[in-house]
Amino acid sequence: MDEAIDRTLDAVGPRLKRLRLHRDVTLADLAAETGISTSTLSRLEAGLRRPTLEQLLPLARAYGVTLDQLVDAPPTGDPRINLRPIPCGDGSVILPLTRRPGGIQAYKFVLPTGNDDAEPDLRTHEGYDWVYVLNGTLRLVLGGHDLILKPGEAAEFDTRTPHWFGATSAGPVEFLSLIGKQGERAHVRAAPRQDLAE
Protein backbone atom coordinates (compact mmCIF):
# COMPACT_ATOMS: atom_id res chain seq x y z
CA MET A 1 0.00 0.00 0.00
CA ASP A 2 2.83 2.44 0.82
CA GLU A 3 4.38 1.82 -2.61
CA ALA A 4 1.11 2.73 -4.33
CA ILE A 5 0.91 5.97 -2.32
CA ASP A 6 4.56 6.75 -3.16
CA ARG A 7 3.88 6.21 -6.88
CA THR A 8 0.79 8.41 -6.75
CA LEU A 9 2.61 11.23 -4.96
CA ASP A 10 5.62 10.96 -7.29
CA ALA A 11 3.32 11.47 -10.29
CA VAL A 12 1.79 14.69 -8.92
CA GLY A 13 4.80 16.90 -9.79
CA PRO A 14 4.83 16.13 -13.54
CA ARG A 15 1.03 16.46 -13.61
CA LEU A 16 1.26 19.91 -11.99
CA LYS A 17 3.82 20.98 -14.56
CA ARG A 18 1.70 19.71 -17.48
CA LEU A 19 -1.36 21.57 -16.15
CA ARG A 20 0.60 24.81 -15.79
CA LEU A 21 2.20 24.58 -19.24
CA HIS A 22 -1.11 23.59 -20.84
CA ARG A 23 -2.69 26.74 -19.41
CA ASP A 24 0.34 28.84 -20.37
CA VAL A 25 0.79 30.11 -16.78
CA THR A 26 4.15 31.18 -15.37
CA LEU A 27 5.38 30.06 -11.97
CA ALA A 28 5.25 33.68 -10.85
CA ASP A 29 1.58 34.03 -11.89
CA LEU A 30 0.69 30.76 -10.18
CA ALA A 31 2.55 31.84 -7.03
CA ALA A 32 0.57 35.09 -6.96
CA GLU A 33 -2.73 33.21 -7.35
CA THR A 34 -2.07 30.43 -4.82
CA GLY A 35 0.18 32.10 -2.25
CA ILE A 36 2.76 29.33 -2.71
CA SER A 37 6.29 30.58 -3.43
CA THR A 38 7.77 30.09 -6.91
CA SER A 39 10.63 28.05 -5.46
CA THR A 40 8.20 25.68 -3.72
CA LEU A 41 6.12 25.36 -6.89
CA SER A 42 9.25 24.61 -8.89
CA ARG A 43 10.36 21.95 -6.40
CA LEU A 44 6.87 20.38 -6.40
CA GLU A 45 6.84 20.19 -10.20
CA ALA A 46 10.36 18.71 -10.28
CA GLY A 47 9.40 16.05 -7.74
CA LEU A 48 11.94 17.37 -5.24
CA ARG A 49 9.20 18.03 -2.70
CA ARG A 50 6.07 16.07 -1.80
CA PRO A 51 2.85 18.12 -1.92
CA THR A 52 0.78 18.69 1.20
CA LEU A 53 -2.98 19.10 1.36
CA GLU A 54 -2.46 22.82 2.13
CA GLN A 55 -0.62 23.13 -1.21
CA LEU A 56 -2.90 20.87 -3.25
CA LEU A 57 -6.12 22.73 -2.34
CA PRO A 58 -5.12 26.13 -3.79
CA LEU A 59 -3.51 24.43 -6.81
CA ALA A 60 -6.70 22.48 -7.56
CA ARG A 61 -8.69 25.71 -7.23
CA ALA A 62 -6.29 27.60 -9.51
CA TYR A 63 -6.46 24.91 -12.20
CA GLY A 64 -10.20 24.33 -11.85
CA VAL A 65 -9.82 20.60 -11.15
CA THR A 66 -10.75 18.34 -8.25
CA LEU A 67 -8.19 16.95 -5.82
CA ASP A 68 -8.92 13.51 -7.28
CA GLN A 69 -7.91 14.75 -10.72
CA LEU A 70 -4.82 16.44 -9.37
CA VAL A 71 -3.50 13.28 -7.73
CA ASP A 72 -5.06 10.91 -10.30
CA ALA A 73 -7.05 9.06 -7.66
CA PRO A 74 -8.51 5.73 -8.82
CA PRO A 75 -12.09 5.95 -10.11
CA THR A 76 -14.79 5.07 -7.61
CA GLY A 77 -17.13 3.59 -10.20
CA ASP A 78 -19.71 6.30 -9.48
CA PRO A 79 -20.46 8.09 -12.78
CA ARG A 80 -22.30 11.02 -11.19
CA ILE A 81 -20.85 14.49 -11.60
CA ASN A 82 -20.90 16.51 -8.40
CA LEU A 83 -22.38 19.75 -9.69
CA ARG A 84 -21.41 22.82 -7.73
CA PRO A 85 -23.55 25.78 -8.82
CA ILE A 86 -21.76 29.11 -9.13
CA PRO A 87 -24.14 31.91 -8.12
CA CYS A 88 -23.52 35.29 -9.76
CA GLY A 89 -24.35 38.73 -8.39
CA ASP A 90 -27.11 39.35 -10.95
CA GLY A 91 -29.17 36.34 -9.82
CA SER A 92 -27.93 33.99 -12.53
CA VAL A 93 -26.42 30.58 -11.78
CA ILE A 94 -23.76 28.69 -13.73
CA LEU A 95 -23.40 24.91 -13.40
CA PRO A 96 -20.14 23.49 -14.81
CA LEU A 97 -20.92 20.14 -16.46
CA THR A 98 -17.37 19.08 -17.28
CA ARG A 99 -14.56 18.35 -14.84
CA ARG A 100 -11.56 17.74 -17.08
CA PRO A 101 -9.12 20.56 -17.81
CA GLY A 102 -8.71 21.76 -21.39
CA GLY A 103 -10.85 20.87 -24.40
CA ILE A 104 -14.45 21.89 -24.87
CA GLN A 105 -16.13 22.90 -21.60
CA ALA A 106 -19.87 22.43 -20.97
CA TYR A 107 -22.00 24.69 -18.76
CA LYS A 108 -25.65 25.06 -17.88
CA PHE A 109 -26.78 28.66 -17.37
CA VAL A 110 -29.91 29.70 -15.49
CA LEU A 111 -30.71 33.40 -15.96
CA PRO A 112 -33.46 35.25 -14.06
CA THR A 113 -36.24 37.16 -15.78
CA GLY A 114 -34.73 39.99 -17.80
CA ASN A 115 -35.59 43.57 -18.66
CA ASP A 116 -36.33 43.99 -22.38
CA ASP A 117 -35.23 47.65 -22.21
CA ALA A 118 -31.84 46.87 -20.65
CA GLU A 119 -28.85 47.81 -22.81
CA PRO A 120 -26.75 44.69 -23.51
CA ASP A 121 -23.08 44.85 -22.50
CA LEU A 122 -21.42 43.06 -25.43
CA ARG A 123 -18.17 41.18 -24.72
CA THR A 124 -15.52 39.42 -26.79
CA HIS A 125 -12.95 36.74 -25.95
CA GLU A 126 -11.00 33.99 -27.66
CA GLY A 127 -12.93 30.83 -28.39
CA TYR A 128 -15.99 29.31 -30.00
CA ASP A 129 -19.42 28.90 -28.41
CA TRP A 130 -22.42 26.68 -29.08
CA VAL A 131 -25.64 27.35 -27.14
CA TYR A 132 -28.82 25.30 -26.85
CA VAL A 133 -31.97 26.59 -25.12
CA LEU A 134 -33.64 24.16 -22.69
CA ASN A 135 -36.44 26.30 -21.19
CA GLY A 136 -37.61 29.89 -21.55
CA THR A 137 -36.56 32.49 -24.09
CA LEU A 138 -32.93 33.48 -24.63
CA ARG A 139 -32.01 36.83 -26.13
CA LEU A 140 -28.68 36.62 -27.96
CA VAL A 141 -27.13 39.82 -29.27
CA LEU A 142 -24.39 38.84 -31.68
CA GLY A 143 -22.61 41.60 -33.56
CA GLY A 144 -25.37 43.45 -35.42
CA HIS A 145 -27.98 40.72 -34.83
CA ASP A 146 -30.55 40.70 -32.02
CA LEU A 147 -31.91 37.16 -31.85
CA ILE A 148 -34.61 35.43 -29.81
CA LEU A 149 -34.03 31.70 -29.24
CA LYS A 150 -36.80 29.38 -28.02
CA PRO A 151 -36.50 25.92 -26.42
CA GLY A 152 -34.86 23.47 -28.80
CA GLU A 153 -33.10 26.18 -30.80
CA ALA A 154 -29.32 26.50 -30.96
CA ALA A 155 -26.70 28.98 -32.15
CA GLU A 156 -22.96 28.74 -32.70
CA PHE A 157 -20.45 31.54 -33.15
CA ASP A 158 -16.88 32.75 -32.86
CA THR A 159 -16.63 34.51 -29.48
CA ARG A 160 -14.41 37.21 -30.97
CA THR A 161 -17.71 38.54 -32.33
CA PRO A 162 -19.18 40.96 -29.74
CA HIS A 163 -21.95 39.04 -27.96
CA TRP A 164 -24.34 39.08 -24.99
CA PHE A 165 -26.89 36.62 -23.51
CA GLY A 166 -29.93 37.46 -21.45
CA ALA A 167 -33.42 36.39 -20.47
CA THR A 168 -36.44 38.36 -21.64
CA SER A 169 -39.30 39.80 -19.59
CA ALA A 170 -41.22 36.58 -20.43
CA GLY A 171 -39.35 34.82 -17.61
CA PRO A 172 -36.15 33.01 -16.68
CA VAL A 173 -34.18 30.98 -19.23
CA GLU A 174 -32.06 27.83 -18.99
CA PHE A 175 -29.52 26.99 -21.68
CA LEU A 176 -26.49 24.84 -22.30
CA SER A 177 -23.22 26.29 -23.54
CA LEU A 178 -20.27 24.42 -25.02
CA ILE A 179 -17.19 26.64 -25.09
CA GLY A 180 -13.98 25.70 -26.84
CA LYS A 181 -10.67 27.35 -27.54
CA GLN A 182 -10.25 29.19 -30.82
CA GLY A 183 -10.65 26.70 -33.65
CA GLU A 184 -12.34 24.04 -31.47
CA ARG A 185 -15.95 23.46 -32.42
CA ALA A 186 -18.70 21.20 -31.18
CA HIS A 187 -19.51 18.92 -34.10
CA VAL A 188 -23.22 18.31 -34.52
CA ARG A 189 -24.14 15.32 -36.64
CA ALA A 190 -27.61 14.81 -38.05
CA ALA A 191 -29.03 12.14 -40.30
CA PRO A 192 -30.00 13.42 -43.76
CA ARG A 193 -33.71 14.08 -44.25
CA GLN A 194 -35.59 11.55 -46.31
CA ASP A 195 -37.12 13.12 -49.37
CA LEU A 196 -40.88 12.65 -48.99
CA ALA A 197 -41.26 12.34 -52.77
CA GLU A 198 -39.14 9.16 -52.78
Side-chain angles (χ1 to χ4, degrees):
M1 186 66 175
D2 289 342
E3 287 180 19
I5 292 172
D6 286 343
R7 281 195 306 273
T8 298
L9 290 174
D10 289 343
V12 172
R15 191 172 298 111
L16 289 172
K17 187 167 188 174
R18 280 195 304 274
L19 278 168
R20 183 175 61 78
L21 295 177
H22 181 73
R23 285 172 167 70
D24 198 24
V25 176
T26 66
L27 283 172
D29 290 340
L30 186 60
E33 186 174 350
T34 61
I36 303 169
S37 71
T38 54
S39 63
T40 299
L41 290 170
S42 178
R43 290 173 57 80
L44 287 172
E45 287 184 0
L48 301 173
R49 182 170 178 172
R50 287 267 175 96
T52 64
L53 186 59
E54 289 78 14
Q55 294 162 337
L56 289 174
L57 286 171
L59 287 167
R61 192 176 306 116
Y63 289 131
V65 298
T66 65
L67 281 175
D68 284 353
Q69 290 170 307
L70 207 55
V71 299
D72 195 26
T76 62
D78 187 343
R80 293 174 293 185
I81 295 174
N82 185 12
L83 298 179
R84 291 200 177 117
I86 303 169
C88 302
D90 60 359
S92 59
V93 176
I94 303 170
L95 291 109
L97 301 177
T98 46
R99 296 190 299 185
R100 66 180 179 86
I104 292 178
Q105 300 295 308
Y107 300 91
K108 179 180 177 184
F109 287 81
V110 181
L111 308 182
T113 302
N115 177 353
D116 295 336
D117 298 327
E119 190 64 31
D121 180 18
L122 277 65
R123 303 285 174 98
T124 62
H125 53 88
E126 287 291 317
Y128 202 84
D129 199 349
W130 182 86
V131 298
Y132 177 82
V133 180
L134 297 167
N135 293 300
T137 303
L138 178 67
R139 181 179 175 202
L140 168 61
V141 179
L142 182 61
H145 303 283
D146 197 336
L147 308 167
I148 297 294
L149 301 177
K150 302 280 187 183
E153 292 187 312
E156 62 177 316
F157 58 93
D158 186 320
T159 55
R160 292 178 297 183
T161 304
H163 61 281
W164 175 86
F165 300 103
T168 66
S169 60
V173 63
E174 296 179 44
F175 65 98
L176 299 177
S177 175
L178 299 179
I179 303 171
K181 293 187 295 192
Q182 198 57 44
E184 279 188 306
R185 295 186 180 196
H187 298 286
V188 180
R189 302 269 192 267
R193 278 181 47 169
Q194 295 291 328
D195 191 338
L196 296 177
E198 292 183 323

